[in-house]
Amino acid sequence: MEYTTLGSTGMEVSKICLGCMSFGSQDDWMLDADEGRELVERAIDLGINFFDTANTYSSGESEEILGDVLAEYDRDEQVVATKVRFAAANDHRNATGLSRKTIEQELEHSLDRLGMETVDLYQIHRWDYDTPIETTLRALDDAVRRGQVRHIGASSMWAHQFQRALHLADREGLTRFETMQNLYHLTYREEEREMYPVCNREDIGVLPWSPLAAGYLTRPHEEFTETARGEHEIDYGTPYHEGPASEEINGRVQELADEKGVSMAQIALAWHFQNENVDAPIVGTSSIEHLEAAVEALEIDLSDSEVEYLEAPYQPVPVFGHE
């Protein structure tokens, strides 16, 4: 395993963050408690010390499963991140958003489900257009001062919103966001235009979600729409496979994977691991085999010309993932 310093937090995290959205019973494809335990335990065996969940994942079950497993390990060795914005187990008018009331009550619920007194990274899951950002930042700052949260982070939003939040925190002496969890992969690179220049300048740790484009970069283009996951993503409206250059990029990933004798997913992840914009991609999987393959991808060395070959066809696509 390789490790990196997460932005300005000073925390040393594995270059793979295990995404835990697959834990729970909300859908048939999810992992139950025993299956989730096996995946987390194998991740720890492989050297992964960074785990990402959210209050809304399977109505809080994800946090419970992760917390139960980590309770049997040295908590000091693990870095745990969770999120607030969308409804969790109790869906009511104040279960969503980023008001002080929602943040405080959802944080208490998350800590209870995780079985922890403090969470290492507490992230806003999206921007809340109904709550002033100053209200949100003051509630998060108080959580840090109470010792319930060590660091705060943000997720997909417009760069001007993120810069506004950073400026406000600096002006008012509040805890500032130190991480950005946003959509980024070979067929969606819009974050390079504005968000990543901000993150680089402000020493923000970057944690891309869906680094494999919801599975599109794990199989040939023509096979994607034939899978259940592909059908789901099409219904959901994700643009990964529809970009003007998506099919060509997909083909180049496949070509390079064949040349190196590895999987397409491993090439797509290797691109992330060598990308100077990225601290640790969030790798969500329901398979130990796929997790082990992701770790093996750390050993793949892409030359500058190979990176350029993968990136060259890219063309702009509509911004996605901010809502």
Side-chain angles (χ1 to χ4, degrees):
M1 181 52 58
E2 297 179 13
Y3 300 86
T4 187
T5 302
L6 182 59
S8 61
T9 69
M11 294 189 296
E12 292 292 314
V13 299
S14 50
K15 291 192 71 173
I16 292 176
C17 176
L18 182 64
C20 301
M21 191 174 72
S22 62
F23 297 175
S25 59
Q26 202 165 28
D27 288 301
D28 293 340
W29 57 270
M30 289 185 165
L31 303 179
D32 62 24
D34 291 337
E35 294 167 327
R37 171 178 293 277
E38 291 179 4
L39 191 66
V40 173
E41 289 178 342
R42 182 59 180 141
I44 293 174
D45 289 342
L46 292 167
I48 292 173
N49 73 338
F50 193 13
F51 303 88
D52 178 79
T53 182
N55 65 329
T56 193
Y57 292 165
S58 204
S59 300
E61 286 184 74
S62 172
E63 290 178 322
E64 291 177 348
I65 293 171
L66 178 63
D68 286 346
V69 179
L70 294 185
E72 299 179 10
Y73 290 82
D74 186 347
R75 173 67 182 86
D76 293 345
E77 295 181 6
Q78 315 304 329
V79 176
V80 177
T82 191
K83 312 182 196 73
V84 60
R85 170 65 175 86
F86 302 113
N90 299 312
D91 189 359
H92 53 82
R93 290 184 181 275
N94 286 299
T96 62
L98 296 173
S99 68
R100 175 177 289 274
K101 176 177 175 58
T102 299
I103 288 172
E104 290 183 351
Q105 67 192 19
E106 290 303 316
L107 176 57
E108 291 284 356
H109 295 326
S110 287
L111 290 173
D112 183 60
R113 287 189 290 263
L114 287 165
M116 299 173 182
E117 295 181 355
T118 306
V119 67
D120 299 302
L121 177 62
Y122 198 49
Q123 306 155 103
I124 62 171
H125 212 156
R126 291 296 186 276
W127 189 267
D128 180 3
Y129 288 90
D130 295 324
T131 303
I133 186 60
E134 183 171 356
T135 298
T136 297
L137 286 172
R138 290 192 180 280
L140 293 171
D141 181 73
D142 286 345
V144 172
R145 295 175 187 275
R146 287 195 301 270
Q148 293 177 300
V149 172
R150 292 192 171 95
H151 304 278
I152 62 173
S155 302
S156 297
M157 61 178 64
W158 298 102
H160 73 84
Q161 295 171 321
F162 192 49
Q163 185 64 76
R164 176 185 169 194
L166 293 174
H167 173 72
L168 180 62
D170 291 343
R171 189 189 71 192
E172 299 298 322
L174 303 172
T175 303
R176 70 188 337 243
F177 292 126
E178 294 181 89
T179 61
M180 167 53 64
Q181 183 176 150
N182 54 359
L183 179 62
Y184 187 52
H185 49 70
L186 274 165
T187 58
Y188 184 87
R189 292 168 48 207
E190 296 307 299
E191 303 301 296
E192 294 176 2
R193 304 185 190 282
E194 296 184 0
M195 181 58 80
Y196 285 165
V198 172
C199 291
N200 290 333
R201 185 180 64 246
E202 301 289 342
D203 196 16
I204 302 297
V206 172
L207 312 169
W209 55 270
S210 196
L212 299 178
Y216 177 64
L217 295 173
T218 68
R219 55 181 57 84
H221 173 86
E222 61 275 9
E223 295 180 10
F224 179 67
T225 57
E226 299 173 359
T227 65
R229 179 65 182 272
E231 292 178 357
H232 168 77
E233 295 301 325
I234 292 169
D235 292 342
Y236 186 61
T238 51
Y240 314 146
H241 67 293
E242 296 179 336
S246 293
E247 186 171 356
E248 183 174 358
I249 294 170
N250 180 285
R252 293 190 179 199
V253 172
Q254 183 182 5
E255 179 184 337
L256 205 54
D258 290 343
E259 288 179 5
K260 292 182 176 292
V262 298
S263 69
M264 289 179 64
Q266 287 175 313
I267 292 295
L269 286 175
W271 176 80
H272 273 279
F273 297 144
Q274 295 180 211
N275 192 309
E276 62 182 13
N277 293 312
V278 175
D279 287 69
I282 296 174
V283 178
T285 179
S286 57
S287 162
I288 289 179
E289 179 182 358
H290 290 165
L291 177 64
E292 292 171 342
V295 174
E296 291 171 0
L298 285 163
E299 301 176 3
I300 298 174
D301 183 25
L302 298 177
S303 67
D304 291 344
S305 61
E306 288 171 335
V307 170
E308 183 178 358
Y309 181 68
L310 292 171
E311 294 180 348
Y314 185 78
Q315 296 182 43
V317 297
V319 172
F320 183 82
H322 289 189
E323 302 301 327

